[in-house]
Amino acid sequence: MNSYIIGAARTPRGRGKIGKGALSHVHPQELFAAVLRALPARAGFDPKDVDDVIAGAVSQVNEQGANVARNAVLAAGWPQEVSAVSLNRFCGSGLQAINFAAMGTGSGAQSLVVAGGLESMSKLGLGADGGGQDGGNARLRERVFQVPQGISADLIATLEGFSRRDVDEVALRSQRRAATAIEERRFDRSLVAVEDPASGRVLLDRDELPRPSTTLEGLAALSPAFVSMAETPAGPNGETLAQIALAAYPQARAIQHVHTAGNSSGIVDGAAAVAVASEEFVRAHKIKPRARIVSVATAGTEPLLMLTGPAPASQKALRAARMSAKDIDLWEINEAFAAVVLQTIRALEIDPDRVNVNGGAIALGHPLGATGAILLGTALDELERSNKSTALVTMCIGGGQGIATIIERV
């Protein structure tokens, strides 16, 4: 049986700075609720028919704790009979929610599932749940040491031979493409303006992070972001994080620190959701689906290097679909760090002109739990705009994982 996408919606991404971003005062539940309220009319379904709501959120504490998905359903004014669950697969959470929805509707166990995610990074920044990368398990750390992602990104760039100019060019391309997409209103179909829940005043109706005036010279002037972190003592005998990484990858000899705030993903607030329906539901309600979910996959990778998961996860999804990388018209590779995009392009021999054609998280931001759903909606909108057929969305994930989803426009 097939699973179909019948609609997608997202908030704009607001700067993830306490008290400064346009969405920084909005409760995370209300961010996701804004999308839930807008989606039924756009996708042509009644909320009472939804079997379940699945939402990814990485920092599930404080405002994002207490099953944020269920509380967002209630905040949206949906029927109390609509159930909801929150999940965490780090950066892949929003895409994982959609993949679970595809499994449920494709198997016949469910008819209609709304899936996506949210993250209010102005309220709950990276590591807000206090678990760190390994949950503080000292015994695990003796066997499998995981360094922070920025160090992993620099290590990948070092091993692959990516220069500072290489990664800065990825960032510049992201900014330019995002600027074009915004100017041509390519995101408008999915965007939902966020209003103040009390006054109804519009707080944000377009992405807040992009810097269209970015230049290569300006990017080159930025300082590497992870040098001091790499020199932090963390090993049992006082070894620094850099020494631990190089002990695992001695061929690198020395880590070249090429990632900066300009060529890494931006910290933002946002939410997104996708309506996924079964073939039977689409027929019974005479809904014209927008796309079919062809295949989904996850893959584990070496946890210290950590961020190389998109390539094996994509290969797994392609094998399941009996496709090759050349069969994909559009790629959305999450721009967690510029080196991740470059490494995936190289590993899969992808034409860069098919990758992140409307910019990515470097320009637009990465609201952790929401990004996967945002990327899928962006890919779908672009398939329709450019009259193309297939797209693959893939993301690296902390702890050494990757996730991928292939869709085909109907």
Side-chain angles (χ1 to χ4, degrees):
M1 295 176 66
N2 288 313
S3 294
Y4 291 103
I5 298 168
I6 61 173
R10 72 168 177 92
T11 69
R13 282 161 280 198
R15 290 182 179 277
K17 292 187 177 181
I18 299 173
K20 294 183 179 180
L23 303 180
S24 62
H25 297 292
V26 181
H27 197 289
Q29 295 170 12
E30 298 293 346
L31 277 181
F32 196 53
V35 177
L36 294 181
R37 282 192 290 269
L39 189 57
R42 298 185 180 202
F45 67 88
D46 191 318
K48 69 178 177 58
D49 293 325
V50 175
D51 290 310
D52 203 10
V53 173
I54 309 172
V58 175
S59 295
Q60 294 189 30
V61 294
N62 301 334
E63 293 102 318
Q64 282 180 189
N67 192 357
V68 64
R70 171 59 175 171
N71 284 318
V73 166
L74 299 175
W78 279 22
Q80 65 182 17
E81 290 77 14
V82 178
S83 57
V85 63
S86 305
L87 65 85
N88 180 11
R89 196 192 282 274
F90 289 164
C91 297
S93 298
L95 195 58
Q96 182 62 64
I98 295 167
N99 290 358
F100 279 152
M103 296 174 197
T105 55
S107 68
Q110 295 169 309
S111 297
L112 176 63
V113 178
V114 170
L118 65 143
E119 207 79 36
S120 180
M121 300 186 74
S122 59
K123 295 180 181 297
L124 300 158
L126 294 167
D129 62 1
Q133 198 64 54
D134 57 16
N137 185 346
R139 289 176 59 83
L140 172 62
R141 197 170 300 166
E142 290 175 2
R143 295 178 53 245
V144 181
F145 200 102
Q146 301 174 57
V147 298
Q149 291 187 14
I151 297 172
S152 294
D154 282 341
L155 180 58
I156 289 169
T158 303
L159 294 170
E160 295 281 346
F162 300 142
S163 68
R164 172 66 182 269
R165 185 179 179 89
D166 291 335
V167 292
D168 280 349
E169 285 179 346
V170 171
L172 182 63
R173 186 162 59 245
S174 182
Q175 293 284 358
R176 287 179 173 174
R177 289 178 173 179
T180 299
I182 292 168
E183 183 179 354
E184 296 181 359
R185 307 182 73 90
R186 297 182 188 179
F187 299 140
D188 283 12
R189 180 166 186 177
S190 291
L191 274 177
V192 176
V194 178
E195 299 176 351
D196 183 284
S199 68
R201 178 175 61 89
V202 173
L203 298 174
L204 190 65
D205 60 5
R206 61 188 290 159
D207 293 305
E208 194 176 21
L209 192 70
R211 297 176 181 271
S213 61
T214 297
T215 64
L216 201 57
E217 293 74 22
L219 289 167
L222 297 174
S223 299
F226 306 108
V227 176
S228 59
M229 180 185 292
E231 297 307 314
T232 302
N237 298 310
E239 303 96 330
T240 66
L241 289 167
Q243 289 171 330
I244 292 167
L246 291 170
Y249 291 92
Q251 65 269 37
R253 297 189 179 180
I255 297 176
Q256 304 302 311
H257 293 286
V258 298
H259 286 94
T260 69
N263 56 41
S264 306
S265 56
I267 295 173
V268 291
D269 304 331
V274 174
V276 182
S278 68
E279 193 167 345
E280 183 179 353
F281 184 90
V282 166
R283 282 201 310 266
H285 292 80
K286 298 180 181 179
I287 295 172
K288 187 181 186 304
R290 295 177 63 190
R292 178 175 70 93
I293 297 178
V294 179
S295 67
V296 304
T298 54
T301 59
E302 197 280 303
L304 188 146
L305 200 56
M306 192 183 305
L307 305 175
T308 57
S314 297
Q315 289 168 330
K316 196 172 177 181
L318 289 165
R319 286 194 299 271
R322 298 182 180 179
M323 300 171 74
S324 72
K326 293 180 181 179
D327 296 322
I328 301 299
D329 296 319
L330 295 172
W331 291 78
E332 288 288 339
I333 303 171
N334 187 38
E335 294 175 353
F337 300 92
V340 174
V341 179
L342 291 173
Q343 190 271 336
T344 306
I345 288 173
R346 176 179 285 178
L348 298 176
E349 299 180 345
I350 305 169
D351 178 357
D353 289 338
R354 298 186 180 193
V355 177
N356 300 353
V357 299
N358 292 315
I362 290 173
L364 295 156
H366 176 22
L368 307 179
T371 301
I374 292 175
L375 294 184
L376 191 137
T378 297
L380 176 56
D381 289 344
E382 181 59 25
L383 286 178
E384 294 172 340
R385 188 195 72 83
S386 59
N387 195 29
K388 290 184 168 60
S389 179
T390 58
L392 191 152
V393 179
T394 186
M395 310 178 72
C396 62
I397 300 171
Q401 296 185 84
I403 188 168
T405 305
I406 298 174
I407 63 172
E408 179 183 40
R409 185 166 67 96
V410 175

